[in-house]
Amino acid sequence: KTVTALLAMQDASAPLPDKTALETFLEYTTSPINLTGVGEKDPYPESYKKGAGILWRSRLQGVPLDTSLRYLFNPKVPMTVVYPASIRYASWQPGSDIRKGAPLWERIGNQKDAPLVLRGTEVEEITPDDNSGSYYKYSLDRVLILTEFQGQKMVISLSWQKGKSEVGKKAAVIGKYEDWDFVYSGVKGTTASGIGWAETFIYSSASIIVFYEDAPGGNTTGYAMYRWMDAGWSGMNMVKQGHIKAGAERSFAGLKAVMESPKRPSVDAVAAHMDELNKLDLPTLQARFEPYAKKVEEAAAANDILRNDDFQN
């Protein structure tokens, strides 16, 4: 019931679940027995708008929640930096609460009496989907709930896709997904065998992600994701729960690789680098990109998908 109530919050007039319901939800969601993978298998949640759903959990070891928030909810840090395996582009839109007032990591910790609710919208484009080989762009309604439970700071991140996505377009992966090298054709269709002609869409999607301290003031960020998706062609949902789980695992693997890396640049360094890139003119950007372009051309000689005319052109 609490999951249903949280998903209903896409409507700005919908109330926050009451304290007891929210605490019951958080107690289950952050349950250590599920985080360790020991004990009962996490049950799949019910469908949402015809979309299958999953519950998937993990943690960022040695990364305090405060540090995670400085990267994950910072308009100065592009989401592709922290989710390199799954996000091509994402941007909080003007008017979103996260762009107003103090940074999120400074606001959390003052919610003993009542959670703080922030609203906004975001535009997102993903990296190639594992199954269709397509990439998609869409808009999201977003809600962030800053709260505390048993002395632990928590952020509940809700998202709902606004209408169906743009039509899927063909993309290719160079090497392995964990190399984060992708090529985007701009040509609609898929690279999946036998259905290259298909006009595919993500019809609907929603998620509830909880980021939380493993203990008050702890040195680990807990992560729990509820996610639903309905996608395919001709109105048919081709997404199975296994597909969503695989996508969740791939996305988190990229996040984990970045956030747990001893080479992770500081937030200030990322912001400064983005400022530098944004000031470059087109010829300079093209010169910066030339080594990567050569790498793509070399890879195309041994990649069946990149040898296709859609990519060669």
Side-chain angles (χ1 to χ4, degrees):
K1 291 182 178 180
T2 307
V3 168
T4 301
L6 287 170
L7 291 174
M9 289 184 68
Q10 183 176 19
D11 183 343
S13 65
L16 187 71
D18 64 51
K19 182 178 179 181
T20 301
L22 196 59
E23 288 183 347
T24 300
F25 166 77
L26 291 172
E27 182 176 20
Y28 174 76
T29 299
T30 63
S31 170
I33 192 171
N34 292 292
L35 275 173
T36 59
V38 178
E40 295 182 2
K41 179 182 177 182
D42 286 336
Y44 286 134
E46 294 181 359
S47 297
Y48 174 73
K49 291 187 176 180
K50 298 192 302 180
I54 65 157
L55 167 57
W56 190 84
R57 316 173 197 227
S58 192
R59 49 163 63 97
L60 297 172
Q61 298 283 6
V63 185
L65 178 65
D66 178 79
T67 300
S68 296
L69 299 183
R70 290 172 184 267
Y71 286 84
L72 292 165
F73 297 102
N74 188 340
K76 294 182 179 180
V77 177
M79 282 297 93
T80 190
V81 169
V82 287
Y83 287 107
S86 55
I87 301 295
R88 183 190 188 193
Y89 169 84
S91 177
W92 287 93
Q93 298 302 286
S96 298
D97 290 340
I98 196 171
R99 289 183 171 271
K100 307 172 187 175
L104 193 73
W105 51 93
E106 293 181 6
R107 299 193 224 188
I108 197 167
N110 301 307
Q111 288 78 45
K112 292 182 176 62
D113 296 327
L116 174 64
V117 178
L118 305 175
R119 291 186 172 273
T121 58
E122 190 176 27
V123 172
E124 185 172 281
E125 189 168 46
I126 61 172
T127 59
D129 173 72
D130 301 66
N131 303 291
S132 68
S134 302
Y135 62 103
Y136 303 88
K137 186 176 182 179
Y138 44 80
S139 295
L140 297 169
D141 284 323
R142 296 291 306 273
V143 169
L144 302 177
I145 303 170
L146 282 59
T147 189
E148 292 185 25
F149 175 61
Q150 297 182 346
Q152 298 159 257
K153 299 174 184 176
M154 303 190 177
V155 175
I156 305 172
S157 174
L158 313 175
S159 72
W160 305 262
Q161 188 172 304
K162 299 174 65 173
K164 71 179 182 180
S165 70
E166 293 184 3
V167 66
K169 298 173 183 176
K170 299 179 181 182
V173 181
I174 300 176
K176 301 176 181 178
Y177 256 106
E178 51 265 36
D179 294 332
W180 310 331
D181 284 334
F182 308 114
V183 182
Y184 302 88
S185 73
V187 178
K188 67 182 181 182
T190 85
T191 58
S193 178
I195 57 168
W197 49 268
E199 294 191 3
T200 61
F201 299 88
I202 301 177
Y203 297 112
S204 68
S205 66
S207 68
I208 303 173
I209 304 177
V210 184
F211 301 92
Y212 58 96
E213 296 178 301
D214 62 331
N219 198 39
T220 292
T221 298
Y223 176 97
M225 170 193 273
Y226 298 79
R227 182 159 177 78
W228 298 263
M229 182 174 291
D230 173 6
W233 66 88
S234 299
M236 297 184 295
N237 183 14
M238 308 303 293
V239 178
K240 300 185 182 334
Q241 287 160 325
H243 298 148
I244 306 174
K245 181 181 178 182
E249 291 174 345
R250 174 165 60 83
S251 177
F252 188 81
L255 173 66
K256 189 176 182 71
V258 171
M259 294 302 295
E260 293 184 358
S261 172
K263 298 181 180 180
R264 167 169 45 88
S266 69
V267 168
D268 290 341
V270 174
H273 187 60
M274 292 307 302
D275 286 342
E276 176 195 357
L277 291 176
N278 287 329
K279 292 174 183 176
L280 298 181
D281 58 21
L282 182 58
T284 306
L285 281 170
Q286 289 173 325
R288 287 276 192 101
F289 193 71
E290 187 174 358
Y292 186 76
K294 289 181 178 179
K295 175 182 175 180
V296 173
E297 285 198 46
E298 292 171 1
N303 186 304
D304 289 340
I305 294 176
L306 288 174
R307 285 203 297 261
N308 183 280
D309 286 346
D310 290 330
F311 290 94
Q312 288 295 313
N313 292 337

